[in-house]
Amino acid sequence: MQNNPQSIIAIVPAAGIGSRMGADKPKQYLQLGQQSILAHTLDVLLSHDDIAHVIVALHPQDKHFNALPQAKHPKLSQVMGGGERADSVLAALDYALSIHPQAWALVHDAARPCLRHEDINKLIGSITQYPQGAILAAPVRDTMKRSDVNGLIISTVDRALLWHALTPQFFPIKTLHDNLSNALAANVLITDEASAMEWAGVMPGLVSGRADNIKVTHPDDLHLAALFMAQT
């Protein structure tokens, strides 16, 4: 692809326990078709020609990852994750800096197995328009409501210019590492990589992504993900 950065390293924070699924194992290891959610996610990243390396941040007591065939892939490395997503991403960025400090990081949720190469291509290709970095996102389609603490509607929010943040999120490794590290040190609430960049005064770009790039969070999401993947 034209206008690609010199090297791209995918980062997958996979240290979460996924308690909302109510399962006996972390949600990324739940079965989705013939293999686990995480296995599907890794297959998409490992098979992309522009991704040079994939770093997975794991829980210190992870007992499932090494059983995956993808764990032995020559493009894949493991690091120990942290208590929060941002801690896991930072641990992976530390390792990425040690092997390729000039690369770009493509950070993707472990539980988004329906990602397509076409969306990765769009995000990578946006580097000309957004040299500061960008994220996949989807425009808000539904009417948005703001509530009070009792669940009563206070107002209707104008959905124009509102977006759902998706992943991957795509930034220069050194810049993302420094901004994320500084934000965590300042006790800033970081919910995704873009929020760390925003805190540092960077305005990331928005790249419209496919609506089927869902995050498996609740049990019903598994069925929906299976339907989307059956259409590939």
Side-chain angles (χ1 to χ4, degrees), residues 6 12-13 23 31 48 103 117 178 180 187 203 224 227 229-230:
Q6 187 174 13
V12 181
Q31 198 76 4
H48 196 285
H117 279 188
D178 291 350
L180 184 55
N187 293 317
M203 297 175 66
L224 191 57
L227 287 173
M229 297 195 73

Side-chain angles (χ1 to χ4, degrees), residues 94-149:
D94 284 336
Y95 181 72
L97 277 176
S98 72
I99 60 175
H100 205 321
Q102 302 305 314
W104 279 58
L106 188 90
V107 185
H108 186 57
D109 294 330
R112 287 189 190 270
C114 301
L115 176 66
R116 311 293 180 95
H117 279 188
E118 64 185 80
D119 267 1
I120 298 177
N121 294 343
K122 285 175 65 177
L123 189 57
I124 294 173
S126 74
I127 190 172
T128 301
Q129 184 177 4
Y130 305 122
Q132 74 276 29
I135 72 170
L136 279 185
V140 170
R141 296 181 174 90
D142 301 314
T143 299
M144 303 294 291
K145 301 292 186 181
R146 177 172 283 113
S147 74
D148 64 12
V149 295

Side-chain angles (χ1 to χ4, degrees), residues 19-216:
S19 57
R20 281 177 287 184
M21 290 293 292
D24 60 353
K25 64 181 69 173
K27 67 181 178 184
Q28 60 268 28
Y29 294 113
L30 295 178
Q31 198 76 4
L32 179 58
Q34 299 302 308
Q35 58 180 356
S36 69
I37 293 170
L38 179 56
H40 286 291
T41 299
L42 293 176
D43 279 348
V44 177
L45 299 173
L46 290 167
S47 63
H48 196 285
D49 291 339
D50 290 331
I51 295 176
H53 204 82
V54 177
I55 303 172
V56 183
L58 300 169
H59 192 279
Q61 277 78 51
D62 188 293
K63 299 177 181 178
H64 305 280
F65 185 77
N66 286 327
L68 302 183
Q70 293 81 2
K72 302 174 181 63
H73 196 286
K75 282 172 60 171
L76 188 141
S77 298
Q78 306 174 29
V79 298
M80 185 178 297
E84 301 294 336
R85 173 203 167 88
D87 301 313
S88 294
V89 172
L90 187 59
L93 288 169
D94 284 336
Y95 181 72
L97 277 176
S98 72
I99 60 175
H100 205 321
Q102 302 305 314
W104 279 58
L106 188 90
V107 185
H108 186 57
D109 294 330
R112 287 189 190 270
C114 301
L115 176 66
R116 311 293 180 95
H117 279 188
E118 64 185 80
D119 267 1
I120 298 177
N121 294 343
K122 285 175 65 177
L123 189 57
I124 294 173
S126 74
I127 190 172
T128 301
Q129 184 177 4
Y130 305 122
Q132 74 276 29
I135 72 170
L136 279 185
V140 170
R141 296 181 174 90
D142 301 314
T143 299
M144 303 294 291
K145 301 292 186 181
R146 177 172 283 113
S147 74
D148 64 12
V149 295
N150 298 312
L152 300 175
I153 294 174
I154 298 174
S155 63
T156 298
V157 180
D158 184 1
R159 69 186 176 197
L161 305 181
L162 289 181
W163 295 72
H164 295 287
L166 309 175
T167 69
Q169 303 197 356
F170 188 54
F171 299 104
I173 280 178
K174 182 65 166 61
T175 306
L176 178 58
H177 174 277
D178 291 350
N179 291 341
L180 184 55
S181 178
N182 292 337
L184 291 176
N187 293 317
V188 176
L189 177 63
I190 298 299
T191 55
D192 65 354
E193 292 66 53
S195 59
M197 301 293 283
E198 295 159 34
W199 173 80
V202 177
M203 297 175 66
L206 290 163
V207 176
S208 184
R210 293 176 58 107
D212 58 3
N213 181 16
I214 64 168
K215 186 175 183 180
V216 179

